[in-house]
Amino acid sequence: MAVLVTGGAGYIGSHTVLELLNRKEKVVVIDNLVKGHREAIKGGTFYQGDLRDEDFLCNVFEENEIQEVIHFAAYSLVGESVEDPIKYYNNNVVGTIQLLSTMKRYGVKNIVFSSTAAVYGEPINIPILEEDATIPTNPYGESKLAIEKALKWANKSGDINYIALRYFNAAGANKDGCIGEDHSPETHLIPIILEAALGKRERVFIYGDDYDTPDGTCIRDYIHVVDLAEAHILALDKLRREGESGIYNLGNGRGFSVKEVIDKAKKVTGINIPVKIGERRLGDPAVLVASSKKAKKELNWNPKYNDLEKIIEDAWNWHKNNLNGYRR
Ligand SMILES: NC(=O)c1ccc[n+]([C@@H]2O[C@H](COP(=O)([O-])OP(=O)(O)OC[C@H]3O[C@@H](n4cnc5c(N)ncnc54)[C@H](O)[C@@H]3O)[C@@H](O)[C@H]2O)c1
Ligand SMILES: O=c1ccn([C@@H]2O[C@H](COP(=O)(O)OP(=O)(O)O[C@H]3O[C@H](CO)[C@@H](O)[C@H](O)[C@H]3O)[C@@H](O)[C@H]2O)c(=O)[nH]1
């Protein structure tokens, strides 16, 4: 019996695959490698292909005894989703529905789904609770919310049991430095800051300093990728044990502004990183900070690496030792 990991060659997926392998789980990975890297998958059986390809997907389910699915494969960039919403609906909604249909066809019920803080939009309360309003400010968040709703109905009909994990901002890298974050082009704040520290970019553009926050820059809740990976294992355990569906926030409950993240990175690297204030980026909410009380209570999740400096240290370790990411 195997766990199918879609998007397992990607950033969070590859860290979760490693945790699964450490637990001696049998792992099957699907990835089209549009964003991911073959080198990031440290074991299991790999199939290169696209979720939207029905024949490909059926073949994977035919050749393996899939027991559960952890579903990461998606596009996930807020700004890009505003510029090209159809691309996002096509991959994130059509791709996931194709996956759910195939699961139903092969009688696979349990799925852990990568949702996002972007489903909330501009929050009314900080920290954000799972039952707070979900009014996304971008198509990316809408596409993930659409799937959460499909999962809710598929659960009511008895077809699917799911745990949707709404992660806040993933960052850091595996402690032993064997895998890390390598997106091309990179758009995420922490790797961009570290690339500037390494001289790979001239400066960091801060996307707006006129938000309604203490220093005017956006506030986010950064969570270590290994803690995220651990939450997937716990979610899988819960689905196996109880088969009960649910939605959980995953964050540290502490927000840092863009300027604060840059200051922390300067401290960790010892390098003076040049910055420039730029325009706001489309679709960005001002503040996203999680309450993860529910995940702590019901999944027994206990994030270990919740200090932002330590998160940046692990990312820095990966970036300075892998100047070209996975491309050697
Ligand atoms: N990175 C974050 O901070 C963050 C926060 C919240 C939610 N998420 C969600 O977590 C998941 C993983 O994010 P990530 O940062 O690891 O992204 P990533 O781009 O590194 O990984 C996604 C992987 O999925 C693959 N993929 C995409 N579409 C596919 C398709 N149709 N068929 C097969 N493979 C496909 C890509 O090649 C890539 O390897 C995404 O669903 C994302 O929306 C990420
Ligand atoms: O060069 C940059 C890059 C980012 N930012 C800002 O830094 C913050 C964080 O941005 P980024 O690292 O791109 O992450 P988010 O846009 O917050 O989105 C991430 O976090 C979301 C959950 O909060 C996930 O859903 C998304 O998939 C994931 O990309 C935002 O305020 C950006 O405006 C800059 O100022 N300059």
Side-chain angles (χ1 to χ4, degrees):
M1 298 294 249
V3 182
L4 173 66
V5 182
T6 76
Y11 172 45
I12 307 170
S14 59
H15 285 80
T16 304
V17 167
L18 197 57
E19 291 295 317
L20 287 165
L21 294 170
N22 288 340
R23 283 225 321 189
K24 310 277 178 249
E25 299 273 358
K26 196 167 174 225
V27 181
V28 174
V29 173
I30 288 180
D31 203 297
N32 60 10
L33 299 184
V34 165
K35 295 274 176 189
H37 308 272
R38 179 68 187 86
E39 301 82 347
I41 311 168
K42 297 299 179 192
T45 309
F46 174 57
Y47 289 84
Q48 183 173 353
D50 196 289
L51 275 187
R52 289 159 291 186
D53 178 343
E54 190 179 352
D55 292 343
F56 163 73
L57 215 48
C58 286
N59 181 47
V60 174
F61 278 77
E62 285 289 341
E63 287 187 1
N64 299 278
E65 233 183 297
I66 305 294
Q67 192 178 19
E68 298 103 356
V69 177
I70 306 184
H71 176 39
F72 294 99
Y75 293 139
S76 60
L77 303 179
V78 169
E80 184 185 59
S81 79
V82 179
E83 280 153 26
D84 195 351
I86 294 166
K87 175 175 175 181
Y88 274 68
Y89 277 89
N90 187 315
N91 201 23
N92 298 1
V93 179
V94 176
T96 305
I97 296 301
Q98 183 60 57
L99 175 67
L100 294 175
S101 308
T102 312
M103 286 174 65
K104 183 172 175 184
R105 181 164 161 186
Y106 287 87
V108 179
K109 283 192 111 166
N110 291 347
I111 181 167
V112 180
F113 171 62
S114 296
S115 189
T116 167
V119 299
Y120 292 110
E122 288 290 353
I124 295 159
N125 304 310
I126 292 291
I128 304 171
L129 295 167
E130 287 82 353
E131 60 268 28
D132 285 353
T134 46
I135 311 169
T137 52
N138 54 66
Y140 163 60
E142 286 285 7
S143 70
K144 292 283 183 173
L145 189 58
I147 294 303
E148 283 195 9
K149 289 182 179 170
L151 288 170
K152 182 188 81 179
W153 289 110
N155 175 247
K156 277 195 200 299
S157 75
D159 289 332
I160 291 287
N161 299 325
Y162 73 96
I163 289 186
L165 299 175
R166 292 177 177 165
Y167 341 135
F168 285 60
N169 291 54
N174 192 262
K175 290 272 155 197
D176 71 7
C178 69
I179 51 175
E181 186 166 14
D182 179 5
H183 290 121
S184 181
E186 189 51 80
T187 62
H188 295 102
L189 181 63
I190 291 177
I192 281 181
I193 295 171
L194 298 179
E195 284 178 10
L198 287 165
K200 289 170 74 182
R201 4 180 128 228
E202 250 176 66
R203 57 175 61 83
V204 178
F205 284 95
I206 296 178
Y207 296 145
D209 68 347
D210 57 350
Y211 285 94
D212 186 14
T213 60
D215 67 17
T217 65
C218 287
I219 293 177
R220 294 288 181 273
D221 180 342
Y222 294 87
I223 176 82
H224 199 294
V225 66
V226 174
D227 283 328
L228 280 185
E230 171 70 14
H232 290 76
I233 309 288
L234 294 169
L236 201 62
D237 283 347
K238 186 172 164 68
L239 280 175
R240 283 176 180 169
R241 221 174 33 240
E242 301 160 17
E244 209 178 298
S245 297
I247 295 178
Y248 298 91
N249 286 341
L250 299 177
N252 276 318
R254 226 189 122 195
F256 291 89
S257 73
V258 175
K259 283 185 177 167
E260 286 172 328
V261 177
I262 293 169
D263 286 343
K264 294 266 181 207
K266 283 182 183 169
K267 196 169 159 212
V268 168
T269 61
I271 295 167
N272 186 27
I273 299 157
V275 301
K276 192 164 189 240
I277 307 296
E279 295 285 300
R280 284 185 179 200
R281 188 173 64 179
L282 290 174
D284 273 346
V287 182
L288 290 173
V289 179
S291 162
S292 299
K293 275 196 184 142
K294 189 179 170 196
K296 287 180 181 163
K297 185 159 172 255
E298 294 183 17
L299 300 178
N300 296 320
W301 184 56
N302 185 18
K304 293 189 196 73
Y305 312 111
N306 49 13
D307 171 10
L308 182 60
E309 266 177 44
K310 293 261 180 309
I311 295 176
I312 296 174
E313 259 172 43
D314 288 342
W316 180 232
N317 182 39
W318 160 258
H319 282 278
K320 68 176 188 234
N321 291 318
N322 299 276
L323 289 176
N324 298 312
Y326 289 101
R327 291 164 299 276
R328 308 221 173 260

